[in-house]
Amino acid sequence: MMRILVRLLSTLLGLAVAAGGALLALEVGWAWWQPDKEPLLVPWPRWKSAIAELDWTSTPVRITAGVALLAGLVLLLLALGAGDRAVRMTDPADGITVNTSPRALARLIGLAVRAEDNVRGASVTASSRRVRVRATSRLETEEQLRPRLLETVAGVLDDLPLQRRPKVSVVVDSPKDR
């Protein structure tokens, strides 16, 4: 989710910078072509005189600085939250690191869980810290199926050379439990 937000914000920021550059190019071209006329779209002379009246201690300057600081902190926090989500595996040799994606780990576990008897469907989410399995079954209750699925997930995790074993939670939805 965080990566999507960071990508969206960076795309919007890039479009804003591109639009500003195009506007600046238009204004400069207009000023070179018609130097005695008013600006094309942006009232630069009026803005220049309004900014010349401000000093560093005025309220609008302080508010602008506060908004810029707050926006920078928000962007910094978003960028830090969108860090690398790779699941680290044990290194086969010095200088070689091996990672997998949480999606690939979830697919491996999901394939094994769906291959179990009486599992109608399963959704798996995985990270380097936690694996969550939500399975559905029509023929078995949670008491009957959950231990078998925990064993299956543990077997998949045992076969992988993970640096850190994630915590596993399994939930079974069954009409027999209702």
Side-chain angles (χ1 to χ4, degrees):
M1 179 64 183
M2 193 65 75
R3 284 186 176 185
I4 294 171
L5 188 59
V6 169
R7 287 179 182 171
L8 179 67
L9 284 175
S10 62
T11 302
L12 291 175
L13 186 60
L15 289 173
V17 168
L23 183 63
L24 181 64
L26 279 172
E27 289 289 339
V28 168
W30 179 259
W32 283 348
W33 187 48
Q34 302 282 336
D36 297 334
K37 299 232 176 171
E38 286 288 315
L40 185 62
L41 298 172
V42 181
W44 300 109
R46 231 180 322 147
W47 286 5
K48 183 180 174 187
S49 63
I51 290 173
E53 295 172 4
L54 296 175
D55 62 348
W56 289 105
T57 59
S58 64
T59 303
V61 172
R62 289 184 177 185
I63 290 173
T64 304
V67 168
L69 179 70
L70 186 64
L73 286 175
V74 167
L75 288 175
L76 179 67
L77 290 174
L78 288 174
L80 289 174
D84 188 24
R85 304 271 189 241
V87 178
R88 297 209 15 107
M89 296 192 171
T90 55
D91 299 336
D94 291 337
I96 298 174
T97 58
V98 180
N99 297 326
T100 189
S101 69
R103 181 179 288 176
L105 180 61
R107 283 183 184 166
L108 281 173
I109 294 170
L111 286 172
V113 167
R114 287 182 200 97
E116 286 294 313
D117 291 335
N118 298 328
V119 173
R120 182 172 169 220
S123 66
V124 180
T125 57
S127 69
S128 61
R129 295 176 185 233
R130 175 167 287 174
V131 173
R132 293 185 188 119
V133 178
R134 184 168 201 94
T136 56
S137 175
R138 287 190 175 171
L139 302 174
E140 291 187 48
T141 64
E142 184 167 9
E143 288 177 350
Q144 296 168 327
L145 189 58
R146 187 174 184 274
R148 203 168 74 232
L149 294 182
L150 280 169
E151 186 179 308
T152 300
V153 173
V156 171
L157 293 176
D158 287 341
D159 291 343
L160 295 173
L162 298 173
Q163 272 189 355
R164 178 181 175 176
R165 187 181 180 95
K167 292 180 183 177
V168 178
S169 66
V170 175
V171 176
V172 177
D173 291 329
S174 174
K176 289 191 161 202
D177 288 332
R178 295 182 191 132

